[in-house]
Amino acid sequence: MQPFAFKLKHTDGAARLGELRTPHGLVDTPAFMPVGTQGAVKALRHEDVERLGAQIILGNTYHLFLRPGDELIARRGGLHKFIGWDRPILTDSGGYQVFSLAARRVITEDGARFQSHLDGSPHLLTPEAAVDIQSRLGSDIAMVLDECLAYPATRDTAAESMHRSIRWARRCRDQLLRLRTPAGAIATNGGQAQFGIVQGGVFQDLRDESADATVAIDFEGYAIGGLSVGEPIDVMSSVVGDTARRLPEDRPRYLMGTGTPEDLVECVARGIDMFDCVLPTRNARNGQLFTSEGRLNIKNARYAEDDRPLDERCSCYTCRHHSRAYLRHLYMAGEMTAGTLNTLHNLSYYLDTMKRIREAILFNAFEKFRLEFQRRADRLSLES
Ligand SMILES: [Zn+2]
């Protein structure tokens, strides 16, 4: 089986062009990972996702653990086989959803005790369990369990939480190393990589300490967690830039849960390689579309007789075949197809933006691309 590897191919300023090699194929970076919460990108078939150019999707461990269960998925040969997607998959640790969805959660040094949001059943998610569950799922990239800090948090709270996350990261790594020995093999994917997560809130000295301690544990890649939680955009940008600089050059860097197309461009400029976010898919289902001319809300009455496509510059299936008038009608009528067509377009916009970012880096034109992208975004926000 192809082991995990990262190749940095070219840099343009701090922006990086690279390639992830995983047991299920290559991913060109910078990459955007569509979110496939329950083993499916909502409203789409895998065939659509593949055709849009997505090379990797994200699965949510919390959801898959509760339903249908990681053991059931392991018996089906792992997540790839079970869902019928043979390209790379990244799974999160489940921690984020425990913090955001579960009822009655109690965090101790041991782990997170919580009740399922589905049926109230009690569970304990320890760092070791998060590794075991992802190992049974057999994703290509697994994440360590970390503590998700609410924003805003005091420096003391952020420090305490960050230190716990480091202790949990150590336990996660030890557990994975145990699983990799012949005696410990419960894995369905022997080439699974594990990423550590840098925490520390908006306090750069805590971020630095977290980055150094996480890098010392030695993971295949590093994520920056706990951002895009309500902090001002310039704070996020500066934390991302200063933290990315501290991470090893030869490992991929993943900014978790971010963001708008403008965020992606700004964070690529600060050295990030991987992104995931529910914005394109969730907004699509709510009728909010990303276009080269700004955001568009298809519910708006002004589109009732608009025969133009969502985005004249977009070549996705939706824009090639349908008018705003038709898409508005489908949305207003509550047709399922509205979610599908809108999601196709939004994901196409995100993935196409990533492709243009990669091309700009390759031709040493990323700074020019970034300035033009931001200038257009600023002009559009003034107009609206
Ligand atoms: Zn389109």
Side-chain angles (χ1 to χ4, degrees), residues 58-73:
L58 183 145
N60 285 127
T61 291
Y62 172 86
H63 290 283
L64 296 167
F65 161 71
L66 289 179
R67 181 178 61 193
D70 49 302
E71 309 251 0
L72 181 148
I73 292 172

Side-chain angles (χ1 to χ4, degrees), residues 171-310:
R171 284 167 60 186
C172 284
R173 193 61 182 175
D174 289 345
Q175 180 65 5
L176 184 73
L177 296 177
R178 266 196 294 277
L179 293 183
R180 282 181 182 170
T181 63
I186 57 163
T188 57
N189 182 349
Q192 185 182 59
Q194 187 185 48
F195 282 19
I197 306 176
V198 177
Q199 288 286 357
V202 295
F203 307 97
Q204 193 55 49
D205 60 320
L206 299 182
R207 288 275 171 187
D208 290 349
E209 188 187 340
S210 173
D212 294 350
T214 309
V215 170
I217 297 174
D218 193 19
F219 292 95
E220 282 82 23
Y222 298 94
I224 302 176
L227 290 174
S228 284
V229 290
E231 74 284 356
I233 176 80
D234 54 319
V235 171
M236 182 187 88
S237 298
S238 95
V239 171
V240 167
D242 292 344
T243 306
R245 258 196 293 283
R246 233 177 154 90
L247 297 172
E249 237 186 24
D250 63 348
R251 307 287 162 92
R253 304 163 183 169
Y254 162 30
L255 179 60
M256 303 179 81
T258 302
T260 64
E262 295 78 40
D263 292 339
L264 304 192
V265 172
E266 287 305 311
C267 292
V268 166
R270 287 162 175 78
I272 299 298
D273 307 305
M274 301 163 68
F275 301 90
D276 79 284
C277 191
V278 295
L279 264 189
T281 40
R282 180 181 290 164
N283 284 18
R285 299 193 304 280
N286 294 326
Q288 286 163 356
L289 289 318
F290 293 94
T291 81
S292 60
E293 291 302 308
R295 314 274 164 92
L296 179 160
N297 193 333
I298 202 67
K299 277 175 273 193
N300 201 308
R302 79 170 97 145
Y303 302 122
E305 299 196 48
D306 191 334
D307 296 323
R308 292 174 297 168
L310 288 174

